[in-house]
Amino acid sequence: VQLQASGGGQVQAGGSLRLSCAASGLTFEAYGMGWFRQAPGKEREFVAGVSYTAINTLSDSAKGRFTVARDNVKNTVSLQMNSLKTEDTAVYYCAASPFGKLSTRSPDYGYWGQGTQVTVSS
């Protein structure tokens, strides 16, 4: 299983970024997919997730600003991030859960991508 995240970068506060994660080596449509992030000195935290049935959820900090979506044809999951804040600065990871259901818990995700850096400057 390989998860390749891309789309990170540096943006000013209030700007937007779109992260994408390309999955291979798995039956993508059967997996739940998630986005997590880890800021320096902090624990990894859930950002967004989408189940194999395309039910999705966002963390409280992401609601109203981020959108998560999956494409079962392209085997990708995306995270559209708008109105970015400096506190969104982190390494963002995509992850795949063989359970398929929606989960906010990192132990439920058996496969992780390499991460992509998002830096939001004031």
Side-chain angles (χ1 to χ4, degrees):
V1 175
Q2 286 193 330
L3 302 175
Q4 183 70 40
S6 61
Q10 185 167 351
V11 65
Q12 287 192 325
S16 298
L17 282 174
R18 181 180 177 88
L19 305 184
S20 184
C21 177
S24 60
L26 73 169
T27 306
F28 181 78
E29 59 268 25
Y31 278 68
M33 299 298 296
W35 287 98
F36 291 76
R37 68 186 182 187
Q38 187 165 20
K42 295 187 177 181
E43 293 186 353
R44 187 173 297 185
E45 65 174 357
F46 172 81
V47 178
V50 55
S51 74
Y52 77 105
T53 57
I55 298 171
N56 65 76
T57 192
L58 299 166
S59 65
D60 287 343
S61 63
K63 285 177 182 176
R65 301 187 299 126
F66 295 3
T67 304
V68 62
R70 65 186 300 153
D71 185 330
N72 287 347
V73 174
K74 296 180 179 179
N75 287 6
T76 59
V77 58
S78 63
L79 183 67
Q80 176 67 42
M81 305 186 293
N82 299 326
S83 302
L84 283 161
K85 305 175 181 180
T86 56
E87 51 263 43
D88 294 318
T89 295
V91 177
Y92 284 70
Y93 299 89
C94 67
S97 170
F99 300 116
K101 63 180 181 180
L102 187 62
S103 175
T104 63
R105 301 176 62 250
S106 57
D108 288 340
Y109 291 84
Y111 302 100
W112 293 81
Q114 85 288 359
T116 185
Q117 176 70 47
V118 171
T119 303
V120 184
S121 58
S122 59

